Amino acid sequence: IARVSRNDWKRTGSFGNDAHSSDIVALSFSSNGLYLASAGKDGQVIVWDTASEKFVARYKVSTSIVDIAWSPISNLLAWTDMEGALVRWTSPIPSNLPSPCSPVSRSTGVSKSKPPKDKAAHKELMALLGDEADASDKEEGEDLALTKDADEEEEDWVEDDMGGDYIKEEKEVFHEGGAREMVNVTKAQPPFQPGATPFKNKKRLLAFNQIGVVEVSDQDPHQVVNVEFHNRSLRTGYHFTDPLRFTMAAIGERGVAFAGPSEEHHPATLSYRPYESWTSNSDWEINLPPGEEPVAVAAGGLPYSKDFSSDDLGGDGYVALATSEQLIRFFSGGGVQKYIWAAEGDVVSMVAGPEWVFVLHREGGTSLDGCQNLRYSLISCKTFDMVREGRLPIQRNRTVTWIGITEEEAPAMYDSAGYMYILDRFRRPTQGRWVLLMNTNLLARKVGKEENYWPVGLSLKEFLCIILKGRDRYPGFPRPITQQIEVQMPLLSMDLPRVQHEERFLRDKMALTMEQDASHDETASSTTAKEVALDKILIQQIQQACKDDRMTRAVDLAEDLHHVKSIDAAKSVAGFYHKVGLQDKIDMLKERKESGDDEEGDVDPREGWGRVTAPIARSYAPNSGGARPSNAAAFSKDFAPSAAPIRHSLALAKPIGEVPFTANRSKLTGAGSSSVIAPSVESSMEVDADS
């Protein structure tokens, strides 16, 4: 902001060269010229002292401002934004500084303000601004200021008008000594139900996920609930009249749960409706005690078997209900109350999967630096063991907008900045960590567009969402179609083909690790086929590294190969490009692979003693009709300390044929040969070096 003289049009000064980080859209001088207000696209409203050219106060907004203006009779600054709201900032100038509406005398400086001579016009102006101070009681020469109650009312009006977008509010506090202190007030994120929307034209969504949709139509004094499913051949939709006016719902694999608050004629209620049952009267309802209201609800259960076998033992799933008393109540699919967990803080959201419930709750209150202080817990739905817990990687001034369970059964979350995270290695005790899976701001389709993404489901390959145009935050009606966006981890230099291969390998490797952790048999044919597919990606990258003459990169890639035949294929690629040194390195990797030595060479194996890293295998067989072993036994075994490792020591010498025992294999079989026979791999691999 530059100051220019009206006499010779020369620049005489400037206001804060780096205060605004984006374009400035509006400027306004106070009536006495002592202050200048500026608004920018960076969401800041700044008040400047025109004499010192330094800022006096600052205010954060969440939308673009159209215009800004000072009140001519009071310490008040107002502006309008692109959403059509009129926002007023009361007392932007501290009391120890001159008023923005006091006339300035050249000789005596600042004098007290005088109200307009036309008292009728003065009253009309005060009524227009909404000030509750009685102008008729003001005498000439007195400052016109808002009462304390009016100030509080206006501040509440500003927050409610923005629909909770003011997560962080900044205020300037001036002390008598002249020191300035910034006080930050962080608004706590309210509880939310994944896949829910607010009412619009008397319709809203209670739940929306990859299984189905729950819509509600308000037909006062009751509601009409409509339940639809994406796969109509597996489940049949239905609708019913809702006199209890449910406000939240959760769609699970085996049924839909509904919850509603208490009203004058009935208490708070939880209802569950299974899809199918081998008996009648499978629906049930239960009332909460007085003073306890539902906050979040989740429904889970095992997926149905593909053949719909009659020996299905998956039951009707399970339900979890979080209440205002910081309690999480667990119910079986038949309505049996199984467990009550007293959460460590207010529950913010909750979602359920086949095996566990993913809960978000607040650790105490919010921080002054804009942090929501959210934690997560992963609880077994069968044994109610705490499988995993920790802090969420939510940055300051951000909130969680969606949580879910991926197709790989991993917990996932999406924040207000467009970042998607997934909990990797969640089945391994002490090893779970959050991984940034996707940054929607970097999507190629978003270049030059203003659009948002409303999550519906997620896998390591695809992001299922509804694309919202402009500033919309929720889908409307008629309901838009869901779209699939390819997941892409935000690696550096993604425009390079080799980095794109690295990104694909990283995601596929993560999916393979999750499948192996969940499986009781790590040598299953499905995992072997995925390992071969990953090896093909690596060999393509090794070929490119040979073309680029980057041998160190080729060795790093070869170390990730899973099978001996894949290593032989990599050696063939190196031989085609006449990389003799690379062939020697690959031979060393093959020898290590065949002998089963640790990748770290001579690392003392005792360093790993006592570590509990065995993954928690899936407690049921996929598509087995829900037959599952005892979870109590499985979890107690998985969490038990690992068996003591075998201590390596010298064994008695035994003759091998007619050759005496020796510790040096090269002396036994010759320097260029090996007596160890490589294990056969069911899948073969052929690599054309010219491809």
Side-chain angles (χ1 to χ4, degrees):
I1 305 173
R3 184 202 298 268
V4 179
S5 172
R6 288 193 296 181
N7 296 328
D8 53 7
W9 299 104
K10 291 184 178 180
R11 179 170 177 169
T12 60
S14 62
F15 297 84
N17 295 328
D18 56 350
H20 286 285
S21 59
S22 184
D23 294 342
I24 298 172
V25 296
L27 294 172
S28 178
F29 279 103
S30 62
S31 58
N32 57 10
L34 292 180
Y35 305 100
L36 173 67
S38 63
K41 289 184 179 180
D42 57 354
Q44 293 189 92
V45 176
I46 301 178
V47 177
W48 306 89
D49 186 342
T50 57
S52 63
E53 299 181 345
K54 295 182 179 180
F55 84 93
V56 175
R58 190 192 308 263
Y59 200 93
K60 300 286 287 186
V61 297
S62 58
T63 185
S64 298
I65 292 177
V66 177
D67 207 350
I68 191 169
W70 290 88
S71 168
I73 59 175
S74 62
N75 186 6
L76 177 68
L77 186 63
W79 59 84
T80 54
D81 59 28
M82 294 295 293
E83 296 180 355
L86 170 65
V87 183
R88 298 187 299 166
W89 182 7
T90 58
S91 302
I93 305 302
S95 58
N96 63 333
L97 294 180
S99 172
C101 55
S102 300
V104 178
S105 173
R106 296 194 178 187
S107 58
T108 61
V110 179
S111 63
K112 292 187 176 181
S113 62
K114 295 183 180 180
K117 295 181 179 179
D118 188 350
K119 293 186 177 181
H122 175 64
K123 286 185 177 181
E124 183 180 355
L125 181 58
M126 294 290 286
L128 178 62
L129 293 174
D131 296 337
E132 297 183 0
D134 189 357
S136 61
D137 294 339
K138 296 291 181 179
E139 298 181 357
E140 292 189 0
E142 289 185 326
D143 290 335
L144 297 174
L146 298 174
T147 62
K148 179 180 179 180
D149 294 337
D151 285 341
E152 294 176 354
E153 181 180 351
E154 294 305 325
E155 291 177 1
D156 293 340
W157 178 83
V158 170
E159 294 178 356
D160 294 341
D161 176 77
M162 301 312 294
D165 287 342
Y166 280 152
I167 300 303
K168 180 178 178 183
E169 179 182 353
E170 298 184 353
K171 297 181 179 179
E172 296 280 354
V173 178
F174 289 85
H175 300 283
E176 294 181 357
R180 184 166 58 229
E181 177 184 357
M182 186 70 72
V183 179
N184 301 324
V185 181
T186 304
K187 184 177 180 180
Q189 177 180 0
F192 70 93
Q193 193 71 19
T197 65
F199 269 110
K200 186 175 183 180
N201 298 327
K202 293 189 175 182
K203 298 187 71 175
R204 64 171 297 195
L205 296 175
L206 292 186
F208 196 149
N209 61 13
Q210 60 268 42
I211 298 176
V213 184
V214 178
E215 293 182 0
V216 166
S217 299
D218 187 6
Q219 300 181 6
D220 195 29
H222 63 271
Q223 297 182 147
V224 175
V225 179
N226 184 39
V227 181
E228 298 180 2
F229 300 102
H230 305 310
N231 188 352
R232 299 181 181 179
S233 63
L234 183 61
R235 303 176 180 91
T236 304
Y238 58 90
H239 65 274
F240 62 93
T241 301
D242 170 30
L244 300 178
R245 303 185 68 85
F246 294 127
T247 57
M248 58 188 70
I251 306 174
E253 289 284 353
R254 300 271 172 155
V256 183
F258 301 89
S262 61
E263 293 187 358
E264 182 179 357
H265 304 292
H266 63 81
T269 306
L270 170 66
S271 175
Y272 186 62
R273 300 191 174 207
Y275 303 137
E276 298 179 4
S277 181
W278 56 275
T279 182
S280 59
N281 290 333
S282 58
D283 300 356
W284 54 268
E285 287 185 359
I286 192 169
N287 296 329
L288 298 182
E292 189 171 349
E293 301 290 338
V295 173
V297 65
L302 303 179
Y304 286 111
S305 60
K306 292 183 178 180
D307 56 355
F308 299 97
S309 58
S310 58
D311 59 347
D312 183 271
L313 296 178
D316 291 333
Y318 65 92
V319 181
L321 178 69
T323 70
S324 57
E325 297 297 318
Q326 295 185 4
L327 300 177
I328 300 180
R329 300 178 178 271
F330 292 85
F331 303 83
S332 69
V336 179
Q337 301 184 53
K338 305 289 289 186
Y339 196 70
I340 301 178
W341 175 43
E344 289 82 355
D346 296 332
V347 175
V348 176
S349 190
M350 186 168 58
V351 70
E355 297 183 84
W356 30 60
V357 182
F358 178 37
V359 183
L360 263 61
H361 53 90
R362 181 171 289 104
E363 184 180 22
T366 59
S367 303
L368 294 178
D369 60 355
C371 182
Q372 290 290 327
N373 290 334
L374 296 179
R375 294 183 63 86
Y376 75 93
S377 298
L378 204 60
I379 306 172
S380 168
C381 65
K382 192 69 175 179
T383 64
F384 311 108
D385 290 332
M386 186 70 69
V387 179
R388 177 82 60 251
E389 63 176 343
R391 292 181 62 88
L392 286 182
I394 294 295
Q395 299 184 25
R396 295 180 178 87
N397 302 322
R398 295 183 185 179
T399 57
V400 180
T401 58
W402 177 85
I403 62 172
I405 303 292
T406 69
E407 292 184 3
E408 297 81 11
E409 301 181 14
M413 67 172 183
Y414 187 73
D415 68 10
S416 57
Y419 288 73
M420 179 70 76
Y421 298 87
I422 188 172
L423 187 61
D424 185 28
R425 310 188 187 193
F426 60 96
R427 293 183 182 272
R428 302 185 182 186
T430 72
Q431 293 299 313
R433 78 287 305 270
W434 288 97
V435 174
L436 179 58
L437 184 64
M438 191 176 184
N439 181 1
T440 58
N441 302 296
L442 302 179
L443 293 176
R445 60 162 293 122
K446 196 173 182 179
V447 176
K449 299 179 183 178
E450 187 175 5
E451 61 183 26
N452 298 311
Y453 307 96
W454 196 74
V456 174
L458 181 70
S459 70
L460 284 174
K461 293 184 178 180
E462 293 179 336
F463 174 39
L464 188 64
C465 65
I466 293 177
I467 299 178
L468 306 176
K469 301 298 182 181
R471 297 179 178 273
D472 292 340
R473 298 171 55 191
Y474 303 100
F477 295 91
R479 188 174 67 249
I481 62 173
T482 57
Q483 301 190 39
Q484 296 176 345
I485 298 178
E486 184 180 358
V487 172
Q488 189 177 81
M489 300 184 72
L491 301 186
L492 302 178
S493 303
M494 278 298 297
D495 55 327
L496 300 178
R498 62 177 178 83
V499 179
Q500 296 173 7
H501 284 290
E502 292 176 5
E503 189 274 337
R504 178 187 170 189
F505 174 80
L506 183 57
R507 281 190 293 110
D508 291 349
K509 180 66 174 179
M510 192 183 305
L512 176 62
T513 301
M514 290 183 181
E515 182 175 344
Q516 290 175 338
D517 289 349
S519 176
H520 293 272
D521 183 9
E522 295 185 1
T523 62
S525 59
S526 61
T527 58
T528 302
K530 291 182 178 179
E531 288 177 350
V532 172
L534 288 174
D535 287 353
K536 289 182 178 180
I537 298 175
L538 290 173
I539 291 176
Q540 292 176 359
Q541 296 185 69
I542 292 173
Q543 181 181 7
Q544 186 62 43
C546 291
K547 290 181 179 180
D548 298 338
D549 198 23
R550 295 184 176 273
M551 298 300 99
T552 304
R553 174 180 172 83
V555 174
D556 293 341
L557 294 170
E559 287 182 346
D560 292 330
L561 293 172
H562 297 84
H563 298 287
V564 175
K565 286 193 174 183
S566 302
I567 298 177
D568 291 336
K571 181 180 178 181
S572 300
V573 172
F576 178 83
Y577 289 97
H578 307 290
K579 306 296 183 181
V580 180
L582 179 59
Q583 285 182 299
D584 294 339
K585 293 290 185 182
I586 294 178
D587 281 334
M588 296 173 62
L589 292 175
K590 180 179 179 180
E591 182 181 356
R592 180 190 303 175
K593 190 78 173 179
E594 291 174 337
S595 61
D597 293 341
D598 292 334
E599 294 184 359
E600 299 300 327
D602 298 329
V603 175
D604 187 355
R606 291 176 295 181
E607 293 181 358
W609 292 358
R611 295 179 184 174
V612 183
T613 57
I616 306 171
R618 183 186 288 112
S619 55
Y620 68 97
N623 301 322
S624 64
R628 59 197 300 173
S630 171
N631 260 11
F635 272 93
S636 63
K637 180 179 67 175
D638 290 331
F639 280 101
S642 57
I646 299 175
R647 298 177 181 271
H648 298 285
S649 58
L650 294 176
L652 296 176
K654 295 182 180 180
I656 302 177
E658 299 179 357
V659 182
F661 173 81
T662 176
N664 190 339
R665 186 168 62 246
S666 61
K667 294 181 180 180
L668 175 65
T669 61
S673 62
S674 174
S675 62
V676 181
I677 300 176
S680 62
V681 181
E682 296 179 1
S683 303
S684 62
M685 177 180 297
E686 296 180 2
V687 177
D688 184 3
D690 295 329
S691 62

